Each structure stands twice: as C-alpha cells, then as structure tokens.
PDB file of all heavy atoms in Angstrom:
ATOM      1  N   GLU A 243      19.602 -47.492-124.955  1.00 91.00           N
ATOM      2  CA  GLU A 243      19.633 -46.045-125.338  1.00 91.00           C
ATOM      3  C   GLU A 243      18.300 -45.543-125.804  1.00 91.00           C
ATOM      4  O   GLU A 243      18.014 -44.401-125.548  1.00 91.00           O
ATOM      5  CB  GLU A 243      20.666 -45.894-126.464  1.00 91.00           C
ATOM      6  CG  GLU A 243      22.108 -46.174-126.028  1.00 91.00           C
ATOM      7  CD  GLU A 243      22.442 -47.669-126.159  1.00 91.00           C
ATOM      8  OE1 GLU A 243      21.636 -48.540-126.645  1.00 91.00           O
ATOM      9  OE2 GLU A 243      23.519 -48.007-125.675  1.00 91.00           O
ATOM     10  N   VAL A 244      17.492 -46.337-126.485  1.00 89.00           N
ATOM     11  CA  VAL A 244      16.179 -45.881-126.914  1.00 89.00           C
ATOM     12  C   VAL A 244      15.241 -45.722-125.644  1.00 89.00           C
ATOM     13  O   VAL A 244      14.580 -44.687-125.621  1.00 89.00           O
ATOM     14  CB  VAL A 244      15.519 -46.929-127.837  1.00 89.00           C
ATOM     15  CG1 VAL A 244      14.097 -46.641-128.110  1.00 89.00           C
ATOM     16  CG2 VAL A 244      16.439 -47.065-129.145  1.00 89.00           C
ATOM     17  N   LEU A 245      15.329 -46.545-124.727  1.00 89.00           N
ATOM     18  CA  LEU A 245      14.527 -46.453-123.509  1.00 89.00           C
ATOM     19  C   LEU A 245      15.014 -45.188-122.771  1.00 89.00           C
ATOM     20  O   LEU A 245      14.191 -44.403-122.256  1.00 89.00           O
ATOM     21  CB  LEU A 245      14.657 -47.805-122.676  1.00 89.00           C
ATOM     22  CG  LEU A 245      13.717 -47.764-121.433  1.00 89.00           C
ATOM     23  CD1 LEU A 245      12.281 -47.637-121.828  1.00 89.00           C
ATOM     24  CD2 LEU A 245      13.924 -49.108-120.703  1.00 89.00           C
ATOM     25  N   ALA A 246      16.338 -44.935-122.711  1.00 91.00           N
ATOM     26  CA  ALA A 246      16.802 -43.822-121.937  1.00 91.00           C
ATOM     27  C   ALA A 246      16.437 -42.531-122.554  1.00 91.00           C
ATOM     28  O   ALA A 246      16.015 -41.545-121.950  1.00 91.00           O
ATOM     29  CB  ALA A 246      18.358 -43.933-121.800  1.00 91.00           C
ATOM     30  N   ALA A 247      16.457 -42.527-123.870  1.00 92.00           N
ATOM     31  CA  ALA A 247      16.117 -41.285-124.687  1.00 92.00           C
ATOM     32  C   ALA A 247      14.638 -40.944-124.515  1.00 92.00           C
ATOM     33  O   ALA A 247      14.203 -39.855-124.280  1.00 92.00           O
ATOM     34  CB  ALA A 247      16.459 -41.423-126.218  1.00 92.00           C
ATOM     35  N   GLY A 248      13.795 -42.011-124.511  1.00 89.00           N
ATOM     36  CA  GLY A 248      12.416 -41.873-124.352  1.00 89.00           C
ATOM     37  C   GLY A 248      12.023 -41.393-122.989  1.00 89.00           C
ATOM     38  O   GLY A 248      11.157 -40.500-122.753  1.00 89.00           O
ATOM     39  N   THR A 249      12.733 -42.022-121.994  1.00 88.00           N
ATOM     40  CA  THR A 249      12.488 -41.553-120.605  1.00 88.00           C
ATOM     41  C   THR A 249      12.850 -40.061-120.391  1.00 88.00           C
ATOM     42  O   THR A 249      12.177 -39.401-119.630  1.00 88.00           O
ATOM     43  CB  THR A 249      13.247 -42.503-119.573  1.00 88.00           C
ATOM     44  OG1 THR A 249      12.838 -43.893-119.849  1.00 88.00           O
ATOM     45  CG2 THR A 249      13.026 -42.182-118.191  1.00 88.00           C
ATOM     46  N   LEU A 250      14.011 -39.655-120.978  1.00 92.00           N
ATOM     47  CA  LEU A 250      14.461 -38.377-120.850  1.00 92.00           C
ATOM     48  C   LEU A 250      13.394 -37.359-121.456  1.00 92.00           C
ATOM     49  O   LEU A 250      13.070 -36.313-120.892  1.00 92.00           O
ATOM     50  CB  LEU A 250      15.820 -38.082-121.489  1.00 92.00           C
ATOM     51  CG  LEU A 250      16.286 -36.718-121.460  1.00 92.00           C
ATOM     52  CD1 LEU A 250      16.602 -36.259-120.136  1.00 92.00           C
ATOM     53  CD2 LEU A 250      17.605 -36.657-122.322  1.00 92.00           C
ATOM     54  N   GLY A 251      12.885 -37.698-122.553  1.00 88.00           N
ATOM     55  CA  GLY A 251      11.835 -36.971-123.216  1.00 88.00           C
ATOM     56  C   GLY A 251      10.574 -36.767-122.421  1.00 88.00           C
ATOM     57  O   GLY A 251      10.011 -35.690-122.244  1.00 88.00           O
ATOM     58  N   ILE A 252      10.191 -37.861-121.813  1.00 85.00           N
ATOM     59  CA  ILE A 252       8.994 -37.820-120.874  1.00 85.00           C
ATOM     60  C   ILE A 252       9.325 -37.012-119.638  1.00 85.00           C
ATOM     61  O   ILE A 252       8.415 -36.201-119.198  1.00 85.00           O
ATOM     62  CB  ILE A 252       8.609 -39.292-120.608  1.00 85.00           C
ATOM     63  CG1 ILE A 252       8.075 -39.974-121.757  1.00 85.00           C
ATOM     64  CG2 ILE A 252       7.519 -39.298-119.482  1.00 85.00           C
ATOM     65  CD1 ILE A 252       7.908 -41.434-121.639  1.00 85.00           C
ATOM     66  N   ALA A 253      10.482 -37.104-119.070  1.00 87.00           N
ATOM     67  CA  ALA A 253      10.905 -36.355-117.912  1.00 87.00           C
ATOM     68  C   ALA A 253      10.909 -34.863-118.159  1.00 87.00           C
ATOM     69  O   ALA A 253      10.380 -34.060-117.444  1.00 87.00           O
ATOM     70  CB  ALA A 253      12.237 -36.801-117.371  1.00 87.00           C
ATOM     71  N   VAL A 254      11.464 -34.463-119.346  1.00 88.00           N
ATOM     72  CA  VAL A 254      11.447 -33.038-119.698  1.00 88.00           C
ATOM     73  C   VAL A 254      10.030 -32.558-119.933  1.00 88.00           C
ATOM     74  O   VAL A 254       9.698 -31.445-119.505  1.00 88.00           O
ATOM     75  CB  VAL A 254      12.368 -32.872-120.972  1.00 88.00           C
ATOM     76  CG1 VAL A 254      12.083 -31.454-121.561  1.00 88.00           C
ATOM     77  CG2 VAL A 254      13.757 -33.113-120.649  1.00 88.00           C
ATOM     78  N   SER A 255       9.248 -33.321-120.531  1.00 84.00           N
ATOM     79  CA  SER A 255       7.759 -33.011-120.821  1.00 84.00           C
ATOM     80  C   SER A 255       7.074 -32.770-119.517  1.00 84.00           C
ATOM     81  O   SER A 255       6.353 -31.773-119.269  1.00 84.00           O
ATOM     82  CB  SER A 255       7.129 -33.960-121.629  1.00 84.00           C
ATOM     83  OG  SER A 255       5.804 -33.826-121.728  1.00 84.00           O
ATOM     84  N   THR A 256       7.277 -33.641-118.499  1.00 82.00           N
ATOM     85  CA  THR A 256       6.708 -33.524-117.177  1.00 82.00           C
ATOM     86  C   THR A 256       7.097 -32.278-116.491  1.00 82.00           C
ATOM     87  O   THR A 256       6.274 -31.563-115.913  1.00 82.00           O
ATOM     88  CB  THR A 256       7.016 -34.751-116.318  1.00 82.00           C
ATOM     89  OG1 THR A 256       6.639 -35.969-117.030  1.00 82.00           O
ATOM     90  CG2 THR A 256       6.373 -34.719-114.989  1.00 82.00           C
ATOM     91  N   VAL A 257       8.387 -31.929-116.586  1.00 87.00           N
ATOM     92  CA  VAL A 257       8.893 -30.780-115.910  1.00 87.00           C
ATOM     93  C   VAL A 257       8.262 -29.507-116.657  1.00 87.00           C
ATOM     94  O   VAL A 257       7.832 -28.566-115.929  1.00 87.00           O
ATOM     95  CB  VAL A 257      10.384 -30.631-115.920  1.00 87.00           C
ATOM     96  CG1 VAL A 257      10.917 -29.267-115.530  1.00 87.00           C
ATOM     97  CG2 VAL A 257      11.018 -31.746-115.005  1.00 87.00           C
ATOM     98  N   VAL A 258       8.307 -29.469-118.020  1.00 86.00           N
ATOM     99  CA  VAL A 258       7.661 -28.357-118.575  1.00 86.00           C
ATOM    100  C   VAL A 258       6.255 -28.147-118.278  1.00 86.00           C
ATOM    101  O   VAL A 258       5.814 -26.972-118.033  1.00 86.00           O
ATOM    102  CB  VAL A 258       7.904 -28.466-120.138  1.00 86.00           C
ATOM    103  CG1 VAL A 258       7.076 -27.404-120.948  1.00 86.00           C
ATOM    104  CG2 VAL A 258       9.372 -28.322-120.514  1.00 86.00           C
ATOM    105  N   HIS A 259       5.485 -29.174-118.233  1.00 81.00           N
ATOM    106  CA  HIS A 259       4.126 -29.137-117.931  1.00 81.00           C
ATOM    107  C   HIS A 259       3.959 -28.725-116.471  1.00 81.00           C
ATOM    108  O   HIS A 259       3.014 -27.957-116.113  1.00 81.00           O
ATOM    109  CB  HIS A 259       3.380 -30.411-118.213  1.00 81.00           C
ATOM    110  CG  HIS A 259       3.099 -30.636-119.615  1.00 81.00           C
ATOM    111  ND1 HIS A 259       4.040 -31.288-120.450  1.00 81.00           N
ATOM    112  CD2 HIS A 259       2.028 -30.407-120.398  1.00 81.00           C
ATOM    113  CE1 HIS A 259       3.513 -31.328-121.707  1.00 81.00           C
ATOM    114  NE2 HIS A 259       2.297 -30.789-121.687  1.00 81.00           N
ATOM    115  N   GLY A 260       4.742 -29.111-115.552  1.00 81.00           N
ATOM    116  CA  GLY A 260       4.676 -28.698-114.203  1.00 81.00           C
ATOM    117  C   GLY A 260       4.979 -27.210-113.996  1.00 81.00           C
ATOM    118  O   GLY A 260       4.284 -26.559-113.257  1.00 81.00           O
ATOM    119  N   VAL A 261       5.985 -26.725-114.727  1.00 87.00           N
ATOM    120  CA  VAL A 261       6.390 -25.301-114.668  1.00 87.00           C
ATOM    121  C   VAL A 261       5.239 -24.490-115.195  1.00 87.00           C
ATOM    122  O   VAL A 261       5.044 -23.297-114.716  1.00 87.00           O
ATOM    123  CB  VAL A 261       7.692 -25.052-115.301  1.00 87.00           C
ATOM    124  CG1 VAL A 261       7.999 -23.629-115.514  1.00 87.00           C
ATOM    125  CG2 VAL A 261       8.849 -25.782-114.519  1.00 87.00           C
ATOM    126  N   THR A 262       4.519 -24.831-116.179  1.00 85.00           N
ATOM    127  CA  THR A 262       3.437 -24.050-116.785  1.00 85.00           C
ATOM    128  C   THR A 262       2.132 -24.235-116.073  1.00 85.00           C
ATOM    129  O   THR A 262       1.150 -23.603-116.557  1.00 85.00           O
ATOM    130  CB  THR A 262       3.424 -24.373-118.268  1.00 85.00           C
ATOM    131  OG1 THR A 262       2.993 -25.678-118.492  1.00 85.00           O
ATOM    132  CG2 THR A 262       4.664 -24.021-119.053  1.00 85.00           C
ATOM    133  N   THR A 263       2.046 -25.014-115.045  1.00 83.00           N
ATOM    134  CA  THR A 263       0.735 -25.172-114.415  1.00 83.00           C
ATOM    135  C   THR A 263       0.145 -23.818-113.869  1.00 83.00           C
ATOM    136  O   THR A 263      -1.007 -23.606-114.142  1.00 83.00           O
ATOM    137  CB  THR A 263       0.818 -26.225-113.309  1.00 83.00           C
ATOM    138  OG1 THR A 263       1.295 -27.434-113.888  1.00 83.00           O
ATOM    139  CG2 THR A 263      -0.425 -26.416-112.579  1.00 83.00           C
ATOM    140  N   ALA A 264       0.895 -23.134-113.067  1.00 85.00           N
ATOM    141  CA  ALA A 264       0.360 -21.934-112.444  1.00 85.00           C
ATOM    142  C   ALA A 264      -0.087 -20.944-113.441  1.00 85.00           C
ATOM    143  O   ALA A 264      -1.194 -20.384-113.429  1.00 85.00           O
ATOM    144  CB  ALA A 264       1.410 -21.366-111.474  1.00 85.00           C
ATOM    145  N   PRO A 265       0.789 -20.649-114.454  1.00 87.00           N
ATOM    146  CA  PRO A 265       0.386 -19.619-115.480  1.00 87.00           C
ATOM    147  C   PRO A 265      -0.843 -20.155-116.360  1.00 87.00           C
ATOM    148  O   PRO A 265      -1.655 -19.406-116.732  1.00 87.00           O
ATOM    149  CB  PRO A 265       1.574 -19.430-116.421  1.00 87.00           C
ATOM    150  CG  PRO A 265       2.743 -19.949-115.636  1.00 87.00           C
ATOM    151  CD  PRO A 265       2.193 -20.940-114.633  1.00 87.00           C
ATOM    152  N   GLY A 266      -0.862 -21.443-116.584  1.00 83.00           N
ATOM    153  CA  GLY A 266      -1.952 -22.033-117.347  1.00 83.00           C
ATOM    154  C   GLY A 266      -3.232 -21.944-116.577  1.00 83.00           C
ATOM    155  O   GLY A 266      -4.258 -21.663-117.203  1.00 83.00           O
ATOM    156  N   LEU A 267      -3.185 -22.182-115.252  1.00 85.00           N
ATOM    157  CA  LEU A 267      -4.481 -22.036-114.451  1.00 85.00           C
ATOM    158  C   LEU A 267      -4.949 -20.577-114.412  1.00 85.00           C
ATOM    159  O   LEU A 267      -6.201 -20.287-114.485  1.00 85.00           O
ATOM    160  CB  LEU A 267      -4.218 -22.557-113.063  1.00 85.00           C
ATOM    161  CG  LEU A 267      -4.242 -24.008-112.892  1.00 85.00           C
ATOM    162  CD1 LEU A 267      -3.720 -24.491-111.511  1.00 85.00           C
ATOM    163  CD2 LEU A 267      -5.516 -24.716-113.244  1.00 85.00           C
ATOM    164  N   ALA A 268      -3.990 -19.630-114.303  1.00 87.00           N
ATOM    165  CA  ALA A 268      -4.401 -18.245-114.363  1.00 87.00           C
ATOM    166  C   ALA A 268      -5.070 -17.845-115.645  1.00 87.00           C
ATOM    167  O   ALA A 268      -6.028 -17.155-115.652  1.00 87.00           O
ATOM    168  CB  ALA A 268      -3.121 -17.383-114.121  1.00 87.00           C
ATOM    169  N   LEU A 269      -4.463 -18.367-116.771  1.00 86.00           N
ATOM    170  CA  LEU A 269      -5.099 -17.949-118.071  1.00 86.00           C
ATOM    171  C   LEU A 269      -6.445 -18.607-118.156  1.00 86.00           C
ATOM    172  O   LEU A 269      -7.399 -18.061-118.706  1.00 86.00           O
ATOM    173  CB  LEU A 269      -4.205 -18.451-119.189  1.00 86.00           C
ATOM    174  CG  LEU A 269      -2.962 -17.663-119.487  1.00 86.00           C
ATOM    175  CD1 LEU A 269      -2.089 -18.353-120.500  1.00 86.00           C
ATOM    176  CD2 LEU A 269      -3.335 -16.320-119.907  1.00 86.00           C
ATOM    177  N   TYR A 270      -6.549 -19.858-117.652  1.00 82.00           N
ATOM    178  CA  TYR A 270      -7.846 -20.577-117.743  1.00 82.00           C
ATOM    179  C   TYR A 270      -8.937 -19.872-116.918  1.00 82.00           C
ATOM    180  O   TYR A 270     -10.081 -19.698-117.338  1.00 82.00           O
ATOM    181  CB  TYR A 270      -7.689 -22.030-117.281  1.00 82.00           C
ATOM    182  CG  TYR A 270      -8.990 -22.841-117.387  1.00 82.00           C
ATOM    183  CD1 TYR A 270      -9.306 -23.356-118.584  1.00 82.00           C
ATOM    184  CD2 TYR A 270      -9.679 -23.156-116.232  1.00 82.00           C
ATOM    185  CE1 TYR A 270     -10.403 -24.186-118.669  1.00 82.00           C
ATOM    186  CE2 TYR A 270     -10.775 -23.907-116.321  1.00 82.00           C
ATOM    187  CZ  TYR A 270     -11.169 -24.474-117.534  1.00 82.00           C
ATOM    188  OH  TYR A 270     -12.309 -25.188-117.647  1.00 82.00           O
ATOM    189  N   ARG A 271      -8.539 -19.409-115.666  1.00 86.00           N
ATOM    190  CA  ARG A 271      -9.508 -18.610-114.828  1.00 86.00           C
ATOM    191  C   ARG A 271      -9.929 -17.363-115.543  1.00 86.00           C
ATOM    192  O   ARG A 271     -11.040 -16.952-115.400  1.00 86.00           O
ATOM    193  CB  ARG A 271      -8.809 -18.384-113.525  1.00 86.00           C
ATOM    194  CG  ARG A 271      -8.856 -19.570-112.633  1.00 86.00           C
ATOM    195  CD  ARG A 271      -8.443 -19.182-111.161  1.00 86.00           C
ATOM    196  NE  ARG A 271      -8.223 -20.342-110.363  1.00 86.00           N
ATOM    197  CZ  ARG A 271      -7.066 -20.682-109.762  1.00 86.00           C
ATOM    198  NH1 ARG A 271      -6.095 -19.805-109.839  1.00 86.00           N
ATOM    199  NH2 ARG A 271      -6.945 -21.749-109.052  1.00 86.00           N
ATOM    200  N   ARG A 272      -8.978 -16.685-116.118  1.00 87.00           N
ATOM    201  CA  ARG A 272      -9.258 -15.399-116.700  1.00 87.00           C
ATOM    202  C   ARG A 272     -10.225 -15.631-117.937  1.00 87.00           C
ATOM    203  O   ARG A 272     -11.199 -14.911-118.059  1.00 87.00           O
ATOM    204  CB  ARG A 272      -7.946 -14.730-117.229  1.00 87.00           C
ATOM    205  CG  ARG A 272      -8.170 -13.330-117.676  1.00 87.00           C
ATOM    206  CD  ARG A 272      -6.882 -12.606-118.068  1.00 87.00           C
ATOM    207  NE  ARG A 272      -5.825 -12.832-117.068  1.00 87.00           N
ATOM    208  CZ  ARG A 272      -4.574 -13.072-117.476  1.00 87.00           C
ATOM    209  NH1 ARG A 272      -4.228 -13.062-118.683  1.00 87.00           N
ATOM    210  NH2 ARG A 272      -3.635 -13.191-116.503  1.00 87.00           N
ATOM    211  N   ALA A 273      -9.987 -16.599-118.666  1.00 84.00           N
ATOM    212  CA  ALA A 273     -10.890 -17.001-119.793  1.00 84.00           C
ATOM    213  C   ALA A 273     -12.275 -17.409-119.354  1.00 84.00           C
ATOM    214  O   ALA A 273     -13.293 -17.108-119.903  1.00 84.00           O
ATOM    215  CB  ALA A 273     -10.292 -18.125-120.682  1.00 84.00           C
ATOM    216  N   ALA A 274     -12.314 -18.108-118.195  1.00 83.00           N
ATOM    217  CA  ALA A 274     -13.555 -18.603-117.623  1.00 83.00           C
ATOM    218  C   ALA A 274     -14.496 -17.447-117.135  1.00 83.00           C
ATOM    219  O   ALA A 274     -15.685 -17.515-117.094  1.00 83.00           O
ATOM    220  CB  ALA A 274     -13.354 -19.610-116.542  1.00 83.00           C
ATOM    221  N   THR A 275     -13.806 -16.399-116.655  1.00 85.00           N
ATOM    222  CA  THR A 275     -14.515 -15.282-116.057  1.00 85.00           C
ATOM    223  C   THR A 275     -14.750 -14.185-117.079  1.00 85.00           C
ATOM    224  O   THR A 275     -15.263 -13.044-116.802  1.00 85.00           O
ATOM    225  CB  THR A 275     -13.819 -14.741-114.884  1.00 85.00           C
ATOM    226  OG1 THR A 275     -12.534 -14.147-115.254  1.00 85.00           O
ATOM    227  CG2 THR A 275     -13.668 -15.682-113.793  1.00 85.00           C
TER     228      THR A 275
END
C-alpha cells in the first residue's frame, strides 16, 4: 500500500507538471524577453 500510494503521488505529479508545461514555457519566454 505504501508503494502504491507513493506511485500514485508520483503519477499525479507527473501529470500536473505535464499539463503546466505549455503555460510555463510561455511565462518563461515572456520573462526572458
């Protein structure tokens, strides 16, 4: 159960980071320019 809970947390984190990639890159570009 500990391994399952940890894996679920990592999977959710991966999805959240994936979904925020495009907006994050846009903000980064705007800040860079």
Side-chain angles (χ1 to χ4, degrees):
E243 293 83 7
V244 172
L245 187 58
T249 302
L250 178 62
I252 293 167
V254 168
S255 173
T256 302
V257 169
V258 168
H259 284 87
V261 168
T262 60
T263 299
L267 285 173
L269 287 171
Y270 184 77
R271 283 190 191 122
R272 191 175 314 138
T275 61

